[in-house]
Amino acid sequence: MKSIVAIIRQEKYQDVKNALLAVGCEGMNVSEVKGRGSQRGIKESYRGSSYCIDLIPKTRIEIVVKEEGVDLIVNAIKEAAHTGNIGDGKIFIYPIENVIRIRTGEEGDSAI
């Protein structure tokens, strides 16, 4: 099992969600986060004054899938979240040792 964590542009969330549903991925956790990558924020001007927004609002999507579903999910996220501009986001893939469904006590793949 793997955990897929995607940090994407807020405006691409609906596209990513639709792409995930199209490939059969229904379970996910979504949260609004702030962060920055190599772009180090955005420099703006307002009434002649310059300022830097160094933490950019993003959407974080977390999904746990069986090993064989990783490539399908990652490709769906990559295609739906891509704009070609700086700040499109990142995808992280982590190993999952075990999953336990609290209601039934199921463990492993059957608990996903």
Side-chain angles (χ1 to χ4, degrees):
M1 293 176 290
K2 298 285 185 176
S3 173
I4 301 170
V5 176
I7 310 293
I8 62 169
R9 296 173 177 272
Q10 288 182 324
E11 64 268 20
K12 296 302 282 181
Y13 167 68
Q14 197 61 46
D15 294 339
V16 171
K17 180 180 157 190
N18 292 339
L20 290 170
L21 289 172
V23 297
C25 176
E26 296 178 355
M28 66 184 83
N29 291 311
V30 179
S31 53
E32 301 301 319
V33 296
K34 290 183 180 181
R36 71 177 199 189
S38 57
Q39 75 189 82
R40 297 190 186 120
I42 300 173
K43 294 190 191 293
E44 297 275 334
S45 281
Y46 180 72
R47 295 187 179 184
S49 297
S50 293
Y51 61 95
C52 182
I53 302 170
D54 64 345
L55 294 176
I56 315 259
K58 299 285 185 176
T59 299
R60 177 184 171 113
I61 302 171
E62 299 175 65
I63 304 164
V64 176
V65 297
K66 295 177 185 176
E67 192 89 31
E68 58 271 11
V70 171
D71 290 337
L72 186 66
I73 301 293
V74 167
N75 287 332
I77 295 169
K78 282 190 332 189
E79 289 176 19
H82 180 264
T83 68
N85 297 314
I86 292 174
D88 276 353
K90 293 204 171 45
I91 300 171
F92 304 96
I93 302 169
Y94 304 100
I96 296 291
E97 190 173 315
N98 196 9
V99 176
I100 302 166
R101 186 183 312 257
I102 295 172
R103 178 177 54 88
T104 62
E106 294 172 279
E107 292 190 32
D109 286 350
S110 61
I112 296 179

